[in-house]
Amino acid sequence: MFSTINKMEQQQSGSPSPRSPSSQPYLSVSVTDPVKLGNGVQAYISYRVITKSNIPEYQGHEKIVIRRYSDFVWLRDRLFDKFKGVFIPPLPEKSAVEKFRFSAEFIEMRRQGLDIFVNRIASHQELQQSEDLRTFLQAEEETMERLRSQETGIFKKKPADFMQIFKDVQSKVSDVVLGKEKPVEESNPEYEKLKHYIFELENHLAEAQKHAYRLVKRHREMGQSLSDFGKAAKLLGACEGEILGKAFSDLGNKSEALSVKLQKEAHQLLMNFEEPLKDYVRAVQSIKATITERANAFRHQCELAETMKLKEINLDKLMLTRSDKVGEAEHEYKELKAESEEATGRFETMVRLMNEEIVRFQEQKTLDMGIAFHEFAKGQARLANSIADAWRSLLPKLEACSS
């Protein structure tokens, strides 16, 4: 998967000059140069985000800004709120444990993950049009900090918002006490098929990622064991005669060299196999969040339709009794009808986008998983050959000592 993104970036960076009248619109983004700032719990990593584009809405042909992880979170949250039905790419996970030590490996994994995140957005037909993306790629650091601080959380809500939260909770409690039926659920066969596919995929990906983690751990442990054994063999050789001592020393050196190979292969296995699997686990979780949004939109649409029927019945009664409240009731009915039609339109748009998104997701997943498993097999073959060649070259010396 990482290889796919890198190839895409190379193709984009090889685009014609923006000054050429025949050049095609392009948008290329790179997340580079992670730098640790601050200490202790206040520590964070900043990144240089380099944007190259010939799109008129972007300021100049190259823009460099400094961003931190929370800026990427801001972008993800804004897109999720505005692009209902679109599968928003996942961010690399935020590990509280790693935050305190910021190992070089963790920093590089996060940098690559953030690079992939923003390039997926930049190459997405819908998301690349986002004004928030342009802000993220171009705004000065002070502007981004101000935008982040303006975001609303549960502790920043207005009193009226809190009252609505309490009303919603109270309504749900009343429904349970009164034994009301559960909210209506969408019963579309294609939708049920989609949900089944996503939940099954999540389970299988999580299982594969768990075993990939074990493989990385095993490689590292074996590498450490070979290193320790190599040191012990060389110390043992120092106690023996010249011929046997030389053989033991060669055995120790070979073990230490193989230890280095195993540690390098463990790192490659982590970056090119475990991380892509973990990234797709996060991607499926992002899709599940979109499915939840669709379920909420469907229920809201049904609730409005039901309320509109009740309003219509009430309006008919008022008209029969020639009540002076007919005008007010008609106005309420028209407003509710407009709201209902708008909700139906939003839901239908969400369904259309999700149908397009799942096709795109499956095509990309097939490509990325193919690359990940190919890299895995290639790395294991390379490692096996290196180990076999190393021990094979040592056999004549050991045979001479044993004879």
Side-chain angles (χ1 to χ4, degrees), residues 79-318:
L79 295 176
F80 184 78
D81 286 340
K82 293 184 178 181
F83 290 84
K84 301 299 184 183
V86 175
F87 299 160
I88 307 302
L91 281 167
E93 61 192 356
K94 186 172 185 178
S95 172
V97 176
E98 288 287 356
K99 177 180 172 60
F100 289 100
R101 59 192 183 101
F102 280 132
S103 67
E105 186 175 74
F106 171 78
I107 291 172
E108 176 57 18
M109 281 197 303
R110 175 173 282 187
R111 185 204 66 77
Q112 285 197 24
L114 294 174
D115 188 274
I116 289 171
F117 165 77
V118 74
N119 271 286
R120 281 174 172 166
I121 295 170
S123 62
H124 191 285
Q125 188 174 357
E126 293 280 340
L127 300 179
Q128 65 182 200
Q129 311 295 330
S130 168
E131 183 180 339
D132 292 314
L133 175 62
R134 291 197 295 274
T135 298
F136 173 84
L137 294 176
Q138 298 181 111
E140 298 303 322
E141 288 72 56
E142 295 81 3
T143 303
M144 281 304 306
E145 187 174 355
R146 186 170 66 252
L147 288 171
R148 286 200 319 271
S149 65
Q150 290 172 352
E151 289 301 297
T152 56
I154 189 166
F155 297 110
K156 295 183 180 179
K157 287 183 178 292
K158 299 175 183 176
D161 295 327
F162 272 116
M163 289 304 298
Q164 186 59 48
I165 291 173
F166 293 140
K167 286 179 182 178
D168 291 343
V169 172
Q170 186 179 26
S171 175
K172 290 176 181 177
V173 172
S174 299
D175 288 349
V176 172
V177 173
L178 297 174
K180 290 185 178 180
E181 294 183 2
K182 293 180 180 179
V184 63
E185 298 288 345
E186 189 178 351
S187 59
N188 184 314
E190 287 299 315
Y191 177 57
E192 292 299 325
K193 183 179 177 182
L194 168 64
K195 287 198 296 183
H196 178 75
Y197 166 73
I198 290 300
F199 280 89
E200 285 290 301
L201 180 61
E202 182 182 34
N203 291 335
H204 297 325
L205 282 170
E207 186 70 13
Q209 187 266 318
K210 180 176 69 176
H211 291 294
Y213 167 79
R214 289 176 180 171
L215 280 170
V216 173
K217 184 180 179 183
R218 190 183 71 181
H219 277 57
R220 284 178 169 165
E221 289 174 346
M222 188 173 179
Q224 186 59 51
S225 296
L226 275 172
S227 177
D228 295 339
F229 172 72
K231 291 182 177 67
K234 287 194 291 185
L235 289 172
L236 182 61
C239 302
E240 301 297 335
E242 184 178 348
I243 297 176
L244 189 58
K246 180 67 168 60
F248 280 6
S249 178
D250 289 344
L251 177 63
N253 289 332
K254 196 67 70 175
S255 296
E256 289 179 332
L258 285 175
S259 169
V260 173
K261 286 183 179 294
L262 272 162
Q263 294 293 355
K264 286 183 178 178
E265 191 56 45
H267 179 73
Q268 291 299 317
L269 194 60
L270 172 68
M271 302 303 291
N272 297 326
F273 189 56
E274 184 191 350
E275 267 304 303
L277 287 170
K278 191 185 294 185
D279 183 66
Y280 263 94
V281 171
R282 294 191 292 263
V284 168
Q285 291 168 350
S286 179
I287 294 173
K288 285 171 65 179
T290 305
I291 289 174
T292 300
E293 289 290 298
R294 172 171 171 169
N296 291 337
F298 179 77
R299 282 196 289 271
H300 182 58
Q301 171 194 242
C302 293
E303 288 167 1
L304 285 173
E306 189 64 30
T307 305
M308 197 169 70
K309 287 180 183 177
L310 296 175
K311 289 283 185 183
E312 188 175 6
I313 292 170
N314 183 55
L315 179 60
D316 289 341
K317 287 180 180 178
L318 291 173

